[in-house]
């Protein structure tokens, strides 16, 4: 254990990440290709939006925001997990751990809020098509981006700040691959009830409100699609609507399962919530550009142009 001495006693200066002993080789075979897919798909989508002049619509700016968030989440979590698996690099500095906690806790709700704005975009496009160009403007996207950043920063910054202020004077072994708030604060010598309460309230207020509003938007969209007179247009729109809804439900379901399995304690093996947490930072980023970007004709044509030599 690496410790330092100060006026208040002994203090942990780095953490040791322990997870999936005996399973790391097999898990790395799963995680590495998914990381390549996630980063590759998002970079291709970002380059397509940047280079293709025919993609000025606000919807594509929202796709770009989603891709940037996906890339940041992947880079923050998965490379470190693979370094643990491949090279046994289990140590992480005190400041590095809380930096990862900050990024993970802040950018995940930002992604949730981006899903909400995209759901509203689709709601306006399908339910109020004649007013779409006057409602969903570049200024709307700028205001939405500012709201996404500042609202989630205000709601999530206290989580890593409160955790960093605790006194870590005992073990430095984190039973996780990621510097998750609950896994780290369990090592503290102080009272962690406020930390747990704040994380619980902030998660349900931010992600819970997003989920409710997203589902409400999709209910209105579904009602509008069912009332369409054109059978072919209805089928195509329902197909797109269904793939988007499935991906969003997957995003929130995986998160909810992780939360409840984490709360279940010893009733469920500790590896289950840890694996779900890792996959939650990898599978949605791998699927988002494929589900949202590739089916769009303009994006598809842009990708073809990008790879033409």
């Amino acid at each position: 254990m690496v410790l330092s001495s100060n006026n208040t006693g002994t203090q942990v200066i780095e953490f040791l990440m322990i997870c999936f002993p005996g399973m790391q080789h097999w898990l790395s075979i799963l995680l590495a290709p998914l990381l390549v897919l996630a980063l590759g798909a998002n970079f291709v989508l970002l380059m397509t939006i940047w280079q293709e002049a025919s993609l000025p619509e606000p919807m594509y700016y929202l796709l770009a925001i989603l891709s940037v968030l996906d890339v940041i989440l992947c880079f923050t979590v998965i490379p470190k997990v693979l370094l643990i698996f491949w090279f046994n690099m289990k140590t992480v500095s005190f400041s590095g751990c809380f930096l990862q906690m900050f990024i993970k806790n802040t950018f995940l709700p930002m992604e949730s809020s981006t899903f909400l704005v995209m759901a509203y975009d689709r709601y306006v496009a399908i339910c109020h098509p004649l007013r779409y160009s006057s409602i969903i403007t570049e200024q709307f996207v700028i205001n939405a981006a500012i709201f996404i950043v500042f609202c989630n920063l205000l709601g999530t910054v206290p989580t890593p700040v409160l955790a960093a202020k605790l006194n870590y004077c005992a073990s430095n072994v984190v039973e996780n691959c990621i510097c998750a708030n609950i896994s780290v604060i369990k090592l503290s010598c102080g009272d962690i009830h406020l930390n747990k309460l704040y994380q619980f309230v902030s998660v349900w207020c931010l992600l819970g409100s997003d989920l409710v509003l997203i589902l409400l938007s999709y209910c209105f969209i579904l009602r509008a699609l069912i009332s369409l007179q054109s059978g072919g247009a209805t089928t195509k729109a329902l197909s797109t609507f269904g793939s988007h809804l499935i991906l969003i439900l997957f995003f929130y379901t995986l998160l909810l399962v992780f939360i409840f399995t984490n709360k279940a304690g010893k009733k469920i093996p500790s590896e289950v919530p840890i694996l779900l947490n890792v996959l939650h930072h990898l599978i949605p980023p791998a699927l988002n550009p494929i589900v949202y970007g590739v089916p769009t004709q303009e994006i598809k044509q842009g990708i073809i142009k990008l790879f033409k030599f």
Side-chain angles (χ1 to χ4, degrees):
M1 187 193 314
V2 182
L3 303 168
S4 68
S5 297
N6 53 34
N7 295 332
T8 59
T10 306
Q11 177 74 27
V12 171
I13 62 172
E14 67 178 25
F15 294 102
L16 188 67
M17 316 302 291
I18 302 294
C19 58
F20 305 114
M23 300 172 57
Q24 296 180 354
H25 173 72
W26 300 108
L27 286 175
S28 67
I29 295 175
L30 168 67
L31 298 182
L34 282 174
L35 177 62
V36 173
L37 174 62
L39 294 179
N42 281 288
F43 278 127
V44 167
L45 182 59
L46 286 170
M47 290 177 65
T48 301
I49 294 173
W50 179 56
Q51 292 189 3
E52 190 58 43
S54 63
L55 299 177
E57 292 186 20
M59 178 62 182
Y60 299 114
Y61 300 145
L62 293 174
L63 278 176
I65 293 172
L66 184 63
S67 286
V68 169
L69 293 173
D70 283 337
V71 169
I72 291 172
L73 283 170
C74 278
F75 269 131
T76 301
V77 173
I78 306 303
K80 178 58 181 177
V81 173
L82 291 176
L83 287 174
I84 294 172
F85 288 177
W86 289 341
F87 305 107
N88 205 34
M89 297 175 63
K90 298 178 180 179
T91 59
V92 58
S93 67
F94 189 86
S95 58
C97 185
F98 290 105
L99 176 61
Q100 186 191 68
M101 186 188 298
F102 162 73
I103 295 174
K104 186 180 78 71
N105 280 277
T106 303
F107 282 79
L108 201 61
M110 284 185 187
E111 185 161 352
S112 172
S113 298
T114 306
F115 280 132
L116 173 60
V117 177
M118 294 173 73
Y120 178 72
D121 172 271
R122 292 300 86 197
Y123 162 74
V124 175
I126 293 174
C127 299
H128 303 284
L130 298 179
R131 299 175 57 198
Y132 180 83
S133 59
S134 63
I135 297 176
I136 309 298
T137 61
E138 288 189 16
Q139 188 60 48
F140 168 83
V141 175
I142 293 172
N143 292 338
I146 293 172
F147 169 80
I148 288 170
V149 171
F150 284 99
C151 178
N152 288 290
L153 274 175
L154 289 173
T156 58
V157 162
T159 297
V161 170
L162 288 171
K165 286 183 175 295
L166 291 171
N167 184 26
Y168 297 90
C169 59
S171 172
N172 71 332
V173 178
V174 179
E175 295 180 355
N176 204 326
C177 301
I178 304 171
C179 287
N181 181 48
I182 299 300
S183 298
V184 174
I185 63 175
K186 286 194 299 186
L187 306 179
S188 169
C189 305
D191 185 11
I192 62 174
H193 287 93
L194 176 61
N195 301 69
K196 288 184 174 181
L197 177 63
Y198 187 84
Q199 176 167 336
F200 178 82
V201 172
S202 62
V203 165
W204 284 108
C205 285
L206 292 172
L207 299 181
S209 59
D210 286 346
L211 179 57
V212 169
L213 292 173
I214 287 171
L215 292 177
L216 188 62
S217 296
Y218 276 99
C219 286
F220 286 120
I221 292 172
L222 181 60
R223 186 179 67 178
L225 290 177
I226 292 174
S227 64
L228 287 176
Q229 299 298 320
S230 173
T234 302
T235 302
K236 183 178 179 180
L238 282 173
S239 175
T240 303
F241 164 82
S243 62
H244 289 187
L245 185 59
I246 289 171
L247 184 56
I248 287 172
L249 289 177
F250 177 81
F251 176 87
Y252 287 101
T253 300
L254 197 60
L255 190 62
L256 289 172
V257 170
F258 161 68
I259 292 172
F260 286 123
T261 52
N262 211 9
K263 291 290 184 183
K266 296 181 179 180
K267 296 179 182 178
I268 295 176
S270 60
E271 288 82 4
V272 173
I274 296 173
L275 180 60
L276 289 174
N277 199 3
V278 172
L279 292 177
H280 195 261
H281 291 79
L282 192 55
I283 294 180
L287 295 179
N288 286 338
I290 297 173
V291 172
Y292 282 101
V294 175
T296 307
Q297 190 64 30
E298 293 84 356
I299 294 286
K300 191 181 298 183
Q301 292 174 353
I303 292 174
I304 294 172
K305 289 181 183 178
L306 187 66
F307 285 97
K308 277 187 177 179
F309 297 99

